[in-house]
């Protein structure tokens, strides 16, 4: 028998089919569920975006940033700025995210020269600088902040549903784009860079270009998440949007779900969402619990929940890899 | 078509330290050259300069008459100059097949089924077919060396630079490796092989270059080079 390469299996076809059904059901959900749940699910979609983007950078490319709140905050800020100029707030969200993606290009030119820990800390420093710069804008009034007031043009129910559908569409498109990217030859290059940049280069991979594209995609995705968060919360204070807590949440979701696993980031976001829903009211203890869980996972379950499941059962719902068939000679 | 790699007056300095000086040689894709020399002679630096991992401080490197001195490793690999690393550098988070596909889809410039065919062929040549779906992190040293070779082969190299690929292997494993490299030679891939284990080299190459203290001290048929008084002195010491 000659060897061949397969990518889709019956299991992964079922996985993608199941995902499509879930997304379809979620699209119809606002007709059936109460406004409180619509708001909560919107938050979940935003968490999934954040986790997936951080996982793409850290889990697939080895770019561990603890300054992704930069793009979250800038996404929200750019949306307010553009809406303030008279643009429809929903259009402003998209334009704002695109603007942040464009800005991420020159940022990547110098930040990606930093390696390992320098890159991580450098991104945090940059996020703090970003926050200070935004506070200089008279419209933001320092820490007082501002709001996306033009959203008031939409009625409460319509607005809630539009934001819900917007978040669902953003999550779906970003996950699909990431899935397509990681399945392509670029995905192989991204992972090769993570594992050994020198060897990747000698095999024809161009690390700078590859990392830059991923960095810009992640910046765009996280900026869109920031814009959506703003739409839901309406008010904008630099301190809360540029808070490192956002990156801490991303790290938590990815570590617990399974770093470097496409399904892992999504699972992590769902778990984080559940924990938050049930325990957020306990205040400080909730944060201590989150931190302790992240430490336990990184010490004892470094592959995360999905990593452990996949290692034990070989299950892969979203097929990114390649399998050879007929390997026996 | 034969490809020619030419090194003209190559020098490499790290600050005040001259690691290579005045290295000249040329190689066609129908030949195999061995490079020997004592520890610290500059062999690995020469490999890095030829593959584009380091930029030489002096001299020129040409491929088929084109000056490629300024091209990095990624661009050179696309032109068919491919190296393997002395210490294997597998992509530990990927499977064996995926490791090889990185080469096939980048320097090998193949896509889809063509890339799969290239990768599977390279795995067959390197004797790694059974291991195709194994995570690279589970491989032992010999298999990591084989993987290093398979990855390079999947890029469709014209000139293959092998950096001490024979080190740390048993006699039987080394013999298997020699047969594999002879096979590549027969397919018209030019070989530049840096190796400490001279008797392995002698089975494959028809030309030997001895480097000592950054200079070529002998260049010619393997027997003549090994008998050259300067080579004997470099290896054995003495007056």
């Amino acid at each position: 028998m000659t060897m061949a390469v397969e990518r889709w299996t019956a299991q992964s076809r079922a996985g993608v089919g199941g995902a499509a059904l879930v997304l379809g059901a979620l699209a119809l959900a606002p007709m059936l569920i109460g406004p409180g749940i619509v708001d909560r699910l919107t938050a979940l979609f935003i968490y999934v975006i954040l986790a997936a983007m951080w996982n793409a950078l850290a889990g697939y490319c080895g770019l561990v940033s603890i300054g992704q709140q930069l793009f979250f905050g800038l996404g929200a800020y750019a949306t307010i700025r553009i809406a303030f100029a008279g643009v429809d707030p929903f259009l402003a969200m998209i334009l704002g995210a695109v603007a942040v993606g464009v800005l991420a290009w020159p940022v990547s030119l110098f930040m990606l020269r930093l390696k390992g820990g320098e890159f991580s800390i450098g991104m945090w420093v940059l996020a703090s600088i970003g926050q200070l710069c935004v506070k200089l804008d008279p419209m933001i009034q320092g820490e007082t902040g501002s709001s996306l007031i033009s959203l008031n043009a939409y009625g409460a129910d319509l607005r809630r549903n539009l934001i819900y559908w917007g978040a669902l569409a953003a999550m779906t498109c970003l996950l699909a784009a990431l899935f397509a990217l990681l399945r392509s030859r670029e995905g192989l290059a991204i992972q090769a860079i993570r594992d050994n940049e020198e060897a990747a280069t000698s095999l024809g991979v161009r690390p700078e270009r590859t990392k830059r594209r991923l960095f810009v995609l992640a910046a765009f995705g996280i900026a869109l998440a920031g814009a959506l968060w703003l739409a839901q919360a309406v008010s904008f204070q630099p301190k809360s949007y540029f808070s490192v807590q956002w990156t801490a949440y991303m790290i938590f979701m990815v570590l617990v779900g399974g770093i470097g696993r496409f399904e892992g980031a999504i699972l992590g976001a769902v778990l984080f969402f559940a924990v938050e829903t049930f325990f957020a009211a306990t205040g400080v203890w909730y944060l201590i619990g989150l931190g302790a869980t992240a430490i336990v996972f990184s010490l004892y379950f470094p592959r995360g929940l999905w990593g452990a499941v996949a290692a034990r059962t070989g299950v892969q719902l979203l097929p990114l890899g390649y399998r050879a068939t007929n390997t026996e000679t | 078509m034969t490809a020619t790699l030419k090194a003209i007056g190559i020098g490499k300095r790290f600050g005040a330290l001259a690691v290579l000086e005045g290295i000249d040689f040329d190689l066609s894709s129908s030949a195999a050259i061995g490079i020997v020399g004592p520890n610290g002679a500059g062999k690995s630096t020469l490999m890095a300069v030829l593959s584009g991992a380091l930029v030489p401080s002096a001299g020129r490197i040409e491929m088929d008459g084109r000056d490629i001195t300024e091209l990095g490793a990624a661009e050179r690999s696309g032109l068919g100059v491919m190296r393997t690393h002395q210490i294997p550098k597998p992509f530990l988070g990927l499977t064996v097949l995926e490791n090889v596909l990185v080469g096939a889809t980048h320097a090998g410039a193949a896509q889809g089924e063509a890339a799969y065919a290239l990768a599977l062929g390279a795995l067959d040549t390197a004797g790694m077919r059974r291991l195709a779906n194994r995570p690279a992190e589970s491989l032992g040293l010999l298999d990591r060396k084989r993987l290093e070779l398979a990855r390079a082969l999947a890029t469709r190299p014209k000139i293959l630079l092998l950096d001490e690929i024979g080190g740390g292997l048993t006699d039987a494993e080394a013999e298997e490796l020699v047969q594999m490299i002879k096979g590549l030679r027969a397919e018209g891939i030019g070989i530049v092989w840096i190796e400490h284990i001279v008797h392995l080299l002698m089975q494959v190459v028809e030309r030997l270059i001895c480097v000592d203290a950054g200079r070529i001290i002998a260049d010619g048929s393997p027997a003549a080079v090994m008998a050259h008084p300067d080579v004997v002195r470099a290896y054995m010491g003495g007056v």
Side-chain angles (χ1 to χ4, degrees), chain B residues 68-144:
Chain B
I68 60 167
T69 319
E70 297 296 318
L71 295 187
E75 286 90 346
R76 276 188 216 185
S77 67
L79 294 174
V81 182
M82 175 58 50
R83 80 175 288 189
T84 66
H85 296 89
Q86 182 176 354
I87 298 162
K89 298 181 190 291
F91 305 127
L92 295 176
L94 299 178
T95 66
V96 167
L97 171 65
E98 288 162 351
N99 264 267
V100 177
L101 276 170
V102 174
T105 54
H106 288 84
Q111 288 185 5
E113 290 298 330
Y116 300 159
L118 206 51
L120 296 176
L123 286 179
D124 257 341
T125 307
M128 297 198 80
R129 187 173 171 155
R130 284 164 181 277
L131 302 175
N133 293 321
R134 282 265 296 272
E137 62 179 350
S138 71
L139 299 181
L141 178 65
L142 175 64
D143 285 329
R144 286 182 185 210

Side-chain angles (χ1 to χ4, degrees), chain A residues 88-100:
Chain A
D88 174 86
F90 286 100
L91 182 59
M93 288 160 61
I94 297 169
L95 294 177
V98 169
V100 174

Side-chain angles (χ1 to χ4, degrees), chain A residues 2-329:
Chain A
T2 46
M3 249 193 313
V5 173
E6 65 170 20
R7 307 198 70 184
W8 288 94
T9 60
Q11 188 186 55
S12 61
R13 283 195 187 89
V16 172
L21 283 180
V22 170
L23 290 172
L26 285 171
L28 300 175
M31 327 285 189
L32 307 168
I33 57 181
I37 303 179
V38 169
D39 276 342
R40 289 298 296 146
L41 283 177
T42 305
L44 171 62
F45 302 154
I46 295 171
Y47 292 155
V48 171
I49 295 174
L50 294 177
M53 292 298 141
W54 198 82
N55 189 36
L57 282 179
Y60 282 93
C61 203
L63 293 168
V64 180
S65 164
I66 46 178
Q68 293 308 96
Q69 65 273 20
L70 171 68
F71 302 114
F72 191 81
L74 285 179
Y77 168 69
T79 302
I80 284 204
R81 254 286 154 214
I82 294 169
F84 192 69
V87 177
D88 174 86
F90 286 100
L91 182 59
M93 288 160 61
I94 297 169
L95 294 177
V98 169
V100 174
V102 170
L103 179 73
W105 187 269
V107 167
S108 74
L109 291 179
F110 54 92
M111 290 314 292
L112 289 177
R113 286 170 169 261
L114 302 175
K115 304 283 177 212
E118 294 173 354
F119 171 76
S120 309
I121 302 293
M123 286 301 300
W124 194 353
V125 171
L126 205 63
S128 299
I129 295 172
Q131 181 186 351
L132 291 173
C133 292
V134 164
K135 280 203 278 192
L136 292 177
D137 184 339
M139 192 195 83
I140 300 300
Q141 309 167 68
E143 270 314 328
T144 313
S146 183
S147 324
L148 194 58
I149 26 177
S150 55
L151 268 181
N152 291 334
Y154 293 85
D157 283 336
L158 176 63
R159 186 170 89 191
R160 179 181 302 108
N161 288 347
L162 282 177
I163 296 169
Y164 173 92
W165 281 317
L168 180 63
M171 177 186 79
T172 308
C173 293
L174 286 167
L175 288 180
L178 204 55
F179 182 65
L181 179 73
L182 292 174
R183 261 178 72 86
S184 72
R185 70 185 205 116
E186 192 94 351
L188 281 171
I190 287 168
Q191 295 174 77
I193 291 167
R194 170 196 64 196
D195 288 346
N196 196 312
E197 190 163 331
E198 190 190 348
T201 308
S202 69
L203 291 171
V205 171
R206 322 240 169 145
E208 294 80 17
R209 204 167 67 181
T210 307
K211 285 196 266 188
R212 183 160 303 134
R213 285 181 190 155
L214 191 64
F215 185 84
V216 169
L217 173 65
F220 169 77
I222 290 175
L224 196 52
L228 287 161
W229 194 266
L230 170 72
Q232 203 178 26
V234 180
S235 68
F236 174 82
Q237 287 96 29
K239 199 162 63 182
S240 60
Y241 281 76
F242 284 93
S243 165
V244 72
Q245 129 200 331
W246 290 107
T247 299
Y249 289 166
M250 295 177 215
I251 296 173
F252 176 88
M253 293 186 279
V254 171
L255 279 187
V256 171
I259 189 162
R261 306 263 174 181
F262 199 89
E263 302 92 332
I266 301 170
L267 178 64
V270 172
L271 285 170
F272 174 71
F273 172 77
V275 169
E276 188 195 50
T277 304
F278 294 111
F279 297 106
T282 60
V284 172
W285 284 107
Y286 158 67
L287 293 174
I288 293 173
L290 281 186
T293 310
I295 291 171
V296 166
F297 266 88
S298 52
L299 286 178
Y300 301 107
F301 309 99
R303 293 170 175 206
L305 281 177
W306 189 263
V309 169
R312 197 154 300 173
T313 62
V315 66
Q316 194 184 30
L317 296 180
L318 299 167
L320 292 173
Y322 302 77
R323 274 197 79 74
T325 56
N326 307 318
T327 53
E328 297 299 321
T329 40

Side-chain angles (χ1 to χ4, degrees), chain B:
Chain B
M1 204 193 88
T2 40
T4 321
L5 183 70
K6 225 177 207 160
I8 305 152
I10 293 296
K12 178 68 190 174
R13 308 182 72 88
F14 294 101
L17 179 70
V19 180
L20 294 176
E21 267 188 286
I23 300 280
D24 285 294
F25 69 87
D26 56 271
L27 165 83
S28 88
S29 58
S30 56
I33 296 187
I35 297 181
V36 294
N39 284 326
K43 301 187 299 294
S44 286
T45 306
L46 176 59
M47 190 61 96
V49 168
L50 290 177
S51 67
L54 289 176
V55 181
S57 329
R60 231 169 50 241
I61 296 165
E62 288 180 1
M63 176 81 172
D64 296 334
R66 176 181 166 193
D67 189 336
I68 60 167
T69 319
E70 297 296 318
L71 295 187
E75 286 90 346
R76 276 188 216 185
S77 67
L79 294 174
V81 182
M82 175 58 50
R83 80 175 288 189
T84 66
H85 296 89
Q86 182 176 354
I87 298 162
K89 298 181 190 291
F91 305 127
L92 295 176
L94 299 178
T95 66
V96 167
L97 171 65
E98 288 162 351
N99 264 267
V100 177
L101 276 170
V102 174
T105 54
H106 288 84
Q111 288 185 5
E113 290 298 330
Y116 300 159
L118 206 51
L120 296 176
L123 286 179
D124 257 341
T125 307
M128 297 198 80
R129 187 173 171 155
R130 284 164 181 277
L131 302 175
N133 293 321
R134 282 265 296 272
E137 62 179 350
S138 71
L139 299 181
L141 178 65
L142 175 64
D143 285 329
R144 286 182 185 210
K145 290 196 175 233
R146 282 199 183 115
L147 177 57
E148 195 74 20
L149 196 60
R151 250 179 7 188
L153 290 181
T155 65
R156 293 188 273 203
K158 292 176 182 149
I159 308 266
L160 194 55
L161 310 170
L162 304 172
D163 194 354
E164 299 206 12
I165 196 165
L169 301 183
T170 65
D171 286 351
E173 290 168 348
E175 182 52 38
E176 194 186 316
L177 194 73
V178 164
Q179 293 312 322
M180 214 180 287
I181 294 169
K182 277 184 173 169
L184 302 179
R185 213 16 267 277
E187 284 177 29
I189 299 174
I191 308 277
V192 179
W193 186 1
I194 290 183
E195 188 58 76
H196 267 301
I197 310 169
V198 178
H199 73 89
L200 290 183
L201 275 185
M202 302 292 247
Q203 298 178 49
V204 177
V205 304
E206 68 267 15
R207 181 176 157 203
L208 203 57
I209 292 176
C210 182
V211 181
D212 185 32
R215 291 168 180 281
I216 293 179
I217 58 170
D219 180 352
S221 76
V225 168
M226 290 317 289
H228 196 288
D230 288 345
V231 175
V232 175
R233 196 173 306 127
Y235 272 93
M236 304 299 176
V239 285

